[in-house]
Amino acid sequence: LKSNPSNNEEKEAQTQLTKSDELQRLHSQALSAYQQEDYEAAISLLDEILAVCVWDAELRELRAECYIKEGEPSKAISDLKAAAKLKNDNTEAFYKISRIYYQLGDHELSLSEVRECLKLDQDHKQCFSLYKQVKKLNKQIESAEEFIREGRYEDAISKYDSVMKTEPEVPIYATRAKERICHCLSKNQQATEAIKVCTEVLQLEPTNVNALKDRAEAYLLEDLYEE
């Protein structure tokens, strides 16, 4: 504006200054809402700012934190992935993405993201600790699935028992393990046990199609046609 004050440029510059002041005001409000744990309001304010400041990694990370608190992990992942690209060596974003995938039960994507963190910093303590856990779990699940493909159902059941011991804190892994154990018992013609385990899964997930099919197979073995 000072270097070349023409009418058009002055108008444009004043508009930009006004917008800048408004965005700073919104930013203060967003931080205040976040600190007061009003995450919904913070998201709404951050939406407005990010519509203009599209490339701001820190604002995206803040909105991701709000999404996590609001129980919207997939939206958090979207912001964190953008932040990982926008900020160099953003190990923290990769760590958070990996943790979210892990909590959602997607161990393969979790492993992929935590490896990205370790590529940037192989001594990152949190990432290395998570990597060891996810890698162990991933290996056990892959091994169990290989046993199922080979028809080695007893071995698969044993391996899925190990999965539940490896990760007792995140419920989805126990549910998935029981679902596969239910399948193995049904295939192995251990009908009574299959019905028991499949029923446990269906109490947690009444519309679990796999457990319904496997329990139906077990009922057939017991001649319980109505069931």
Side-chain angles (χ1 to χ4, degrees):
L1 178 60
K2 284 177 180 170
S3 68
N4 191 5
S6 70
N7 282 343
N8 281 347
E9 284 173 1
E10 184 173 1
K11 193 175 177 184
E12 174 63 19
Q14 291 297 346
T15 303
Q16 295 286 7
L17 275 171
T18 306
K19 189 180 279 186
S20 173
D21 290 342
E22 171 66 6
L23 289 171
Q24 285 182 327
R25 188 180 63 78
L26 290 171
H27 187 208
S28 297
Q29 288 180 347
L31 289 174
S32 175
Y34 178 77
Q35 283 154 6
Q36 289 167 23
E37 299 183 7
D38 186 353
Y39 303 115
E40 197 177 335
I43 289 167
S44 179
L45 291 159
L46 289 165
D47 285 347
E48 283 190 66
I49 306 167
L50 280 160
V52 181
C53 307
V54 183
W55 313 117
D56 193 312
E58 284 175 11
L59 288 178
R60 285 191 177 277
E61 286 173 342
L62 181 61
R63 188 168 66 176
E65 281 299 312
C66 294
Y67 280 137
I68 290 166
K69 301 284 189 187
E70 284 287 287
E72 295 193 74
S74 58
K75 289 183 179 177
I77 286 171
S78 176
D79 267 344
L80 287 167
K81 282 192 170 181
K85 286 177 183 161
L86 292 166
K87 195 196 288 184
N88 286 340
D89 299 341
N90 197 342
T91 52
E92 194 60 26
F94 284 117
Y95 172 70
K96 285 178 180 175
I97 295 166
S98 179
R99 278 221 56 90
I100 294 170
Y101 276 135
Y102 186 71
Q103 296 290 328
L104 291 173
D106 199 327
H107 51 94
E108 289 171 333
L109 280 176
S110 175
L111 191 59
S112 170
E113 294 295 333
V114 80
R115 279 179 174 144
E116 291 300 318
C117 172
L118 291 171
K119 277 183 198 171
L120 296 171
D121 179 5
Q122 61 187 26
D123 298 321
H124 194 290
K125 284 184 180 176
Q126 286 177 307
C127 284
F128 186 66
S129 172
L130 180 60
Y131 171 71
K132 284 197 299 184
Q133 173 72 3
V134 186
K135 191 181 177 191
K136 182 180 179 182
L137 192 76
N138 196 55
K139 196 172 179 184
Q140 287 175 333
I141 292 169
E142 282 182 349
S143 178
E145 288 301 311
E146 185 61 33
F147 286 143
I148 290 172
R149 285 191 289 275
E150 292 170 1
R152 294 166 60 186
Y153 298 117
E154 291 290 345
D155 290 333
I157 290 166
S158 172
K159 193 60 75 173
Y160 269 119
D161 281 332
S162 300
V163 167
M164 289 191 280
K165 291 189 182 86
T166 298
E167 185 43 84
E169 303 294 322
V170 184
I172 193 163
Y173 293 107
T175 306
R176 290 289 156 269
K178 284 182 179 178
E179 180 191 316
R180 297 307 278 156
I181 289 169
C182 142
H183 175 72
C184 293
L185 290 166
S186 181
K187 286 285 184 189
N188 215 29
Q189 302 202 335
Q190 292 168 262
T192 308
E193 280 299 302
I195 291 164
K196 177 174 170 286
V197 177
C198 294
T199 301
E200 284 177 25
V201 175
L202 288 162
Q203 282 167 349
L204 296 166
E205 296 180 346
T207 57
N208 186 313
V209 175
N210 294 325
L212 285 166
K213 288 196 294 184
D214 288 321
R215 189 169 69 174
E217 292 292 337
Y219 280 141
L220 286 174
L221 292 168
E222 294 285 277
D223 298 335
L224 295 166
Y225 301 121
E226 289 294 329
E227 285 85 342

